[in-house]
């Protein structure tokens, strides 16, 4: 089927079916294949192809020629190369936590991977107030392994620099620099703030020069600190869950950046789920129970990260100077500081900026939504300004509780 | 002359002459060329080719197959590509401060450049106690332009990331990581400490855990902070001077790192010259005058850097968040902090590590040399530990004066 070997075009369902049949050797010759485009993301086309006879299935993920999020962001299909390279690497470093990659095609800019249709997107499940008791364990194992094992603490420094080079990701980083670190902090046309929150944003965010200065420092930290190979977009929409398993998908934003960026995104998005349940669960007992589980999960993401990181450090450290007395504490404390700061940025940008989260936009009562937004913004600000003071999981959850009390 | 087109080999004088005659179109056909290898560095072969008729001359700089400094460092000839790319870029950003590049040859790994034989190596001139009244002006203009204009303050962030990628320099960075940031801080076989200083080093450097912790932080800062395109080896042996001109050569260590790295190297190497004159000039008036000039130069390198940086920032800043109130001060203060820290590292490593400087090794009176070394080490330690407190040129010179008083 030479049309797939010639030059890139965006596939329709029929093309994907043809691709699966004639290019891949995954299905048997008598397979009864069915194909559906199931993408709801912004950057890619996702085809699910299933053999109705055997039940075997695959995902073909093809990078669109530009980001579907907006025509203003032009994103080259090379991101698909980064994604499949990262998935292969993460699969080695943290086995079982990412979908398996069967094939990467640099002409069609697509990768073929394990179908995770028996999983659900975590954000959706959290909005339905489901619990995943293994989540904190799983996500911290994934993050400790991927973040520590790709750093100068462990990697040969020359190999690490080649890895930095391989994962330089200008276009996707630009999206984060704009949408997370810049636009939410001024009255930008592309922002999308509801009327009920706007005045609060004008006073507490856009007019606070001291606070803005801190956000600029964080933007430069994001742009210049090549600490670890990040997932780069680790919100609950990039996580597939089922009762006994967690899979992290969509690492197309991956690059070498501050390790706290991934952890902070997880924490902030758990906080959105927490505020969703605060605003939408009517039954007080059920609300209390669900919030308790989320609270425990937030705490554990921080505390388990810290304990696993310390434990693993001792096993894997190769850099001589990293063994100096006190360096592990210093290094880890810096990651927790960055985690707090990024939690704050993500909390602010999902309320103010152009890319929202369902956890908040799904709160139908506009007054409850506005309250949730103000809690997120106030907490976000505190996470950023007081980032040096965060040490444990309890410190993180206490900020949220504080503003739930003071904001009506 | 096909032998130059086939594959890389290290040239002898005859080859370089042949190369100049038949590959380059620089000299006229009736030129009477003479060639001499004049390299005294560790990594390269430097051929000077002059036409005795016209007086025109060029330099051919060829990367050796491995670092001449030691067989333990294998350095690929690709560094010559980095060097010629950097020189071309620096020549655009800071016109007149680097030799002109006439040709770069990726097969022979050599570049052909302007001959600066009417200049002298600054380190040699300082040891001869010569003055260069324009030096502080020139070097600060060069550093402000190259460091600020290659940063995220000014460059389009996507272009900057491509530039980071282009100048990833694993092998040369490894040399710095080992020789500057690691080996001097423990009793490493490759170190080279004179007996008269050894006890001092054991007590004050190798046994001070709090101090060692700071050096590890600095090593990670060097490895991860992609702030500006550095020269990467800006000591007084990489600077050519004459009365009315300054040329910065040999940027093969260039990579994206903390801006303070270049400035700190300049300051530390001026301090070596200062201690050389303290130890070797007999005549007290002459000594005082020369030290006064060096003192003024050290002060000005810091103070002119600061004032030119602030001035230029206003003219060239493109990054929106860099305009937030207070960000310029924050950014510049961070550079000065890094400058102090790097000054300290360079002061220590040139006394303890394997690569020494003539300013110190040339002090014949062993007691005077040991005193100079202890002053450098004590100051180096203070520059590192108290790096946050340095604000002005006077702060830098005061540390040296303090230890000249207290160490006999």
């Amino acid at each position: 089927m030479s049309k797939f070997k010639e030059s890139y075009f965006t596939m329709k369902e029929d093309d994907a079916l043809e691709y699966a049949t004639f290019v891949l050797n995954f299905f048997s010759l008598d397979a009864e294949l069915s194909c559906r485009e199931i993408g709801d993301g912004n950057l890619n086309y996702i085809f699910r192809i299933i053999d109705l006879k055997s039940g075997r299935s695959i995902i073909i993920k093809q990078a669109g020629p530009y980001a579907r999020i907006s025509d203003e962001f032009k994103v080259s299909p090379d991101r698909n190369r980064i994604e499949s390279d990262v998935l292969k690497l993460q699969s080695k470093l943290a086995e079982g936590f990412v979908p398996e990659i069967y094939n990467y095609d640099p002409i069609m800019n697509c990768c073929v991977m394990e179908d995770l249709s028996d999983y659900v997107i975590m954000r959706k499940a959290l909005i339905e107030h489901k619990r995943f008791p293994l989540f904190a364990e799983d996500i911290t194992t994934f993050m400790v392994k991927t973040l520590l094992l790709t750093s100068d603490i462990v990697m040969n420094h020359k190999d690490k620099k080649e890895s930095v080079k391989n994962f330089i990701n200008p276009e996707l980083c630009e999206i984060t620099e704009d949408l997370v670190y810049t636009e939410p902090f001024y009255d930008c046309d592309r922002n999308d703030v509801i009327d009920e929150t706007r005045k609060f944003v004008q006073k507490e965010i856009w007019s606070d020069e001291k606070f803005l200065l801190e956000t600029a420092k964080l933007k430069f930290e994001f742009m210049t600190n090549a600490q670890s190979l990040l997932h780069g977009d680790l919100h609950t929409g990039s996580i597939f869950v089922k009762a006994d398993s967690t899979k992290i998908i969509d690492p197309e934003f991956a690059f070498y950046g501050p390790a706290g960026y991934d952890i902070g995104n997880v924490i902030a998005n758990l906080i959105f789920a927490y505020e969703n349940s605060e605003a939408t669960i009517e039954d007080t007992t059920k609300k209390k129970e669900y919030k308790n589980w989320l609270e425990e999960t937030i705490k554990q993401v921080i505390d388990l990260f810290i304990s696993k990181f310390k434990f693993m450090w001792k096993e894997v450290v190769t850099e001589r100077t990293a063994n100096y007395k006190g360096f592990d504490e210093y290094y880890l404390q810096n990651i927790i500081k960055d985690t707090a700061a990024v939690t704050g940025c993500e909390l602010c940008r999902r309320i103010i900026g152009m890319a929202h989260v369902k956890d908040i936009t799904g709160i139908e009562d506009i007054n409850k939504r506005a309250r949730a937004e103000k809690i997120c913004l106030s907490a976000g600000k505190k996470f950023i300004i007081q980032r040096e003071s965060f040490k444990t999981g309890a410190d993180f959850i206490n900020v949220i509780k504080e503003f739930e009390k003071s904001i009506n």
Side-chain angles (χ1 to χ4, degrees), chain A:
Chain A
M1 284 288 97
S2 63
K3 76 171 179 181
F4 299 110
K5 309 269 179 197
E6 278 163 15
S7 65
Y8 169 79
F9 63 94
T10 57
M11 293 191 279
K12 305 281 176 212
E13 289 178 351
D14 284 351
D15 302 312
L17 202 60
E18 213 178 315
Y19 186 86
T21 310
F22 298 105
V23 178
L24 306 172
N25 291 314
F26 188 81
F27 297 104
S28 59
L29 290 170
D30 63 343
E32 278 176 37
L33 298 185
S34 148
C35 175
R36 209 154 55 88
E37 207 279 316
I38 55 169
D40 63 349
N42 300 305
L43 300 169
N44 302 290
Y45 302 94
I46 315 287
F47 302 96
R48 179 169 185 245
I49 297 173
I50 183 165
D51 172 8
L52 299 170
K53 256 193 192 167
S54 68
R56 294 180 72 203
S57 58
I58 55 168
I59 293 292
I60 299 178
K61 179 171 182 178
Q62 186 184 34
Y66 53 83
R68 273 207 261 178
I69 193 170
S70 142
D71 284 0
E72 287 169 63
F73 290 109
K74 300 279 177 225
V75 185
S76 87
D78 174 62
R79 67 186 182 279
N80 218 281
R81 192 259 317 162
I82 289 187
E83 174 164 1
S84 69
D85 279 1
V86 172
L87 284 172
K88 282 178 212 161
L89 179 60
Q90 289 178 337
S91 158
K92 259 188 239 163
L93 301 177
E95 213 192 322
F97 289 109
V98 294
E100 204 182 325
I101 294 288
Y102 304 131
N103 192 54
Y104 165 63
D105 180 337
I107 294 169
M108 293 303 292
N109 295 302
C110 68
C111 51
V112 182
M113 63 177 91
E114 186 181 358
D115 179 21
L116 299 171
S117 297
D118 51 333
Y119 290 71
V120 292
I121 292 283
M122 189 174 183
R123 185 183 309 287
K124 193 160 168 286
L126 292 176
I127 292 173
E128 290 162 4
H129 309 127
K130 289 185 182 144
R131 299 179 208 184
F132 299 91
L134 290 179
F135 174 71
E137 274 293 351
D138 284 353
I139 198 74
T140 51
T141 299
F142 173 79
M143 291 194 298
V144 166
K145 287 185 173 177
T146 56
L147 298 173
L148 182 53
L149 296 176
T150 57
S151 74
D152 282 304
I153 300 295
V154 178
M155 280 185 85
N156 170 291
H157 300 333
K158 286 191 283 191
D159 296 341
K160 187 254 187 175
K161 286 178 187 76
E162 292 298 343
S163 190
V164 170
K165 190 173 178 176
N166 189 40
F167 294 114
I168 293 247
N169 199 347
E171 292 165 334
L172 282 290
C173 281
E174 183 183 50
I175 295 179
T176 305
E177 289 159 22
D178 288 351
L179 295 194
V180 179
Y181 287 100
T182 313
E183 296 178 5
F185 301 112
Y186 73 101
D187 190 358
C188 173
D189 281 350
R190 277 210 299 226
N191 288 335
D192 180 15
V193 192
I194 59 172
D195 290 344
E196 289 73 7
T197 306
R198 194 171 178 84
K199 211 178 267 177
F200 186 90
V201 171
Q202 267 163 339
K203 179 161 176 271
E204 296 293 330
I205 305 288
W206 295 339
S207 310
D208 186 340
E209 283 187 338
K210 271 198 172 171
F211 169 65
L212 293 179
L213 174 57
E214 299 309 308
T215 68
K217 294 179 189 176
L218 297 173
K219 183 174 180 182
F220 275 79
E221 177 77 7
F222 178 83
M223 293 193 291
T224 56
N225 180 7
Q227 182 177 28
S228 296
L229 181 60
L230 308 184
H231 177 283
D233 194 28
L234 198 44
H235 58 82
T236 47
S238 298
I239 301 170
F240 266 137
V241 279
K242 60 180 183 179
D244 58 350
S245 174
T246 307
K247 298 274 185 186
I248 290 90
I249 61 168
D250 289 353
E252 60 205 341
F253 281 79
F255 75 107
Y256 264 84
Y261 190 78
D262 279 354
I263 319 165
N265 269 316
V266 170
I267 297 292
N269 282 277
L270 290 172
I271 291 171
F272 292 133
Y274 190 84
E275 289 314 313
N276 175 281
S277 37
E278 167 72 9
T280 64
I281 303 181
E282 305 265 318
D283 183 298
T284 46
T285 313
K286 276 189 188 159
K287 177 187 294 198
K288 202 179 161 196
E289 281 173 7
Y290 194 66
K291 285 183 69 188
N292 276 347
W293 174 73
L294 275 172
E295 182 180 325
E296 207 44 47
T297 302
I298 291 169
K299 271 189 201 162
Q300 283 186 7
V301 169
I302 299 295
D303 295 339
L304 288 176
F305 181 88
I306 291 173
S307 58
K308 290 180 188 179
F309 193 92
K310 280 185 187 172
F311 182 81
M312 193 167 187
W313 175 293
K314 287 193 199 87
E315 310 269 303
V316 296
V317 57
T318 64
E319 162 56 33
R320 179 186 178 95
T321 69
N323 288 310
Y324 289 163
K325 195 177 159 191
F327 189 75
D328 52 350
E329 284 294 335
Y330 157 81
Y331 193 91
L332 185 54
Q333 184 45 44
N334 250 328
I335 293 180
I336 300 304
K337 178 188 76 183
D338 292 344
T339 298
V342 172
T343 300
C345 291
E346 177 75 359
L347 284 173
C348 293
R349 77 104 167 187
R350 294 290 194 177
I351 304 297
I352 304 169
M354 71 182 283
H356 292 288
V357 289
K358 259 278 168 62
D359 319 56
I360 302 298
T361 58
I363 302 170
E364 286 174 11
D365 179 328
I366 195 70
N367 292 322
K368 286 188 177 172
R369 175 173 168 186
R371 176 172 176 257
E373 294 195 349
K374 286 171 195 166
I375 291 168
C376 290
L377 292 171
S378 305
K381 216 176 142 172
K382 188 158 184 170
F383 278 120
I384 289 171
I385 293 175
Q386 298 188 17
R387 58 192 181 279
E388 302 264 7
S389 70
F390 290 81
K391 312 280 175 199
T392 67
D395 295 339
F396 282 76
I397 199 70
N398 287 341
V399 173
I400 303 301
K401 288 185 164 178
E402 171 195 338
F403 289 108
E404 281 197 352
K405 267 184 208 143
S406 65
I407 294 173
N408 292 308

